[in-house]
Amino acid sequence: MESPELIPVHTRILTNKDNIVEAIKEYAQDIITNKDIVCVAESVLAITQSRYIRPEELKVCWQARLMNRFVPPAGSMASIYGMQAAMEEEGKWNMMFSFIWGAIAKLAGKHGVFYQRCRQASLIDDVTGTMPPFDKCLVYGPANASKVCEEIKKATGAYGAVIADVNDLKRAAVLGKSAKISPYKVAKILIDNPFGNDNQKTPIVIIKNFTDYV
């Protein structure tokens, strides 16, 4: 069976002065039906929620500097600022304990313990990790993602809505969803990353006629 059609929606640069539900209605209402799923890039939702900070606003603690030495040189946690930003959300001692516990668990063959305990560590987009002008900021994961999805569904008349974290390394995760949506099915559909959060300015994607495929 063919995959559903994906329609990236071009917008202006969305900021903390925008409401994501109203932005979706402005740019996509005329193409959304009750068979479709509205997908929103998690970093863009977070930006509209003012969930970002500039590195110079952070006071990096010794715990962040210490833990940063043991992180591979890729991803948000490779930066002391990304590490500190996660600590601002999760708590520095909780981060340290989780980091140590995660290392022990990994030796025992269990992976992902650290990120399960400290979700923000995997959700933060480091500097240059998102669209200008917010490429000079660290962007946290969004708040109340599933609640926002319900608001999008109600406002647009869509079959459902999701907040997705997708990258070009074929990693896709649904961080929030409206009722009756399978996050695994939607993540699989979005695996090739149809979003364009940089100059493309397509942070919204419509999965057309999703109900015909479930």
Side-chain angles (χ1 to χ4, degrees):
M1 182 179 291
E2 295 181 2
S3 297
E5 178 186 6
L6 302 179
I7 301 181
V9 177
H10 190 274
T11 71
R12 65 182 181 282
I13 294 176
L14 299 178
T15 74
N16 62 330
K17 299 186 184 304
D18 289 295
N19 176 286
I20 193 65
V21 178
E22 294 303 316
I24 292 168
K25 289 172 64 179
E26 177 183 351
Y27 288 101
Q29 183 66 78
D30 59 340
I31 63 172
I32 297 172
T33 74
N34 61 1
K35 291 185 174 184
D36 303 339
I37 291 182
V38 180
C39 309
V40 179
E42 53 93 17
S43 59
V44 174
L45 173 58
I47 286 169
T48 64
Q49 295 173 329
S50 297
R51 289 185 52 75
Y52 57 87
I53 191 169
R54 295 182 68 89
E56 56 266 29
E57 297 178 57
L58 293 167
K59 184 177 180 181
V60 181
C61 64
W62 67 264
Q63 291 94 333
R65 295 182 186 278
L66 176 63
M67 288 174 60
N68 181 251
R69 295 181 180 181
F70 300 95
V71 176
S76 299
M77 295 299 98
S79 158
I80 59 172
Y81 300 106
M83 185 72 74
Q84 182 64 41
M87 285 184 168
E88 299 288 322
E89 290 281 295
E90 300 285 355
K92 58 186 178 182
W93 292 112
N94 177 52
M95 282 273 290
M96 281 202 73
F97 174 80
S98 299
F99 195 81
I100 294 169
W101 185 245
I104 294 171
K106 187 179 292 186
L107 291 174
K110 187 175 182 180
H111 297 267
V113 171
F114 171 66
Y115 290 109
Q116 289 172 7
R117 291 181 54 89
C118 299
R119 189 68 174 127
Q120 279 297 329
S122 65
L123 295 181
I124 287 176
D125 286 326
D126 206 346
V127 173
T128 75
T130 189
M131 72 186 73
F134 300 99
D135 56 338
K136 303 296 189 295
C137 300
L138 295 110
V139 180
Y140 295 103
N144 304 313
S146 290
K147 180 182 177 182
V148 173
C149 289
E150 293 292 350
E151 293 172 356
I152 293 170
K153 176 182 176 180
K154 181 178 179 180
T156 63
Y159 176 74
V162 302
I163 309 303
D165 181 13
V166 188
N167 63 31
D168 292 330
L169 301 176
K170 291 189 177 294
R171 295 175 182 170
V174 170
L175 307 184
K177 67 181 186 65
S178 57
K180 301 180 180 179
I181 298 295
S182 167
Y184 307 104
K185 289 181 180 179
V186 174
K188 186 175 181 180
I189 292 170
L190 298 175
I191 196 69
D192 289 324
N193 193 9
F195 295 99
N197 295 348
D198 202 337
N199 294 331
Q200 307 97 324
K201 295 194 287 290
T202 53
I204 301 162
V205 172
I206 311 301
I207 303 178
K208 292 297 296 179
N209 301 318
F210 177 82
T211 56
D212 294 343
Y213 296 83
V214 296

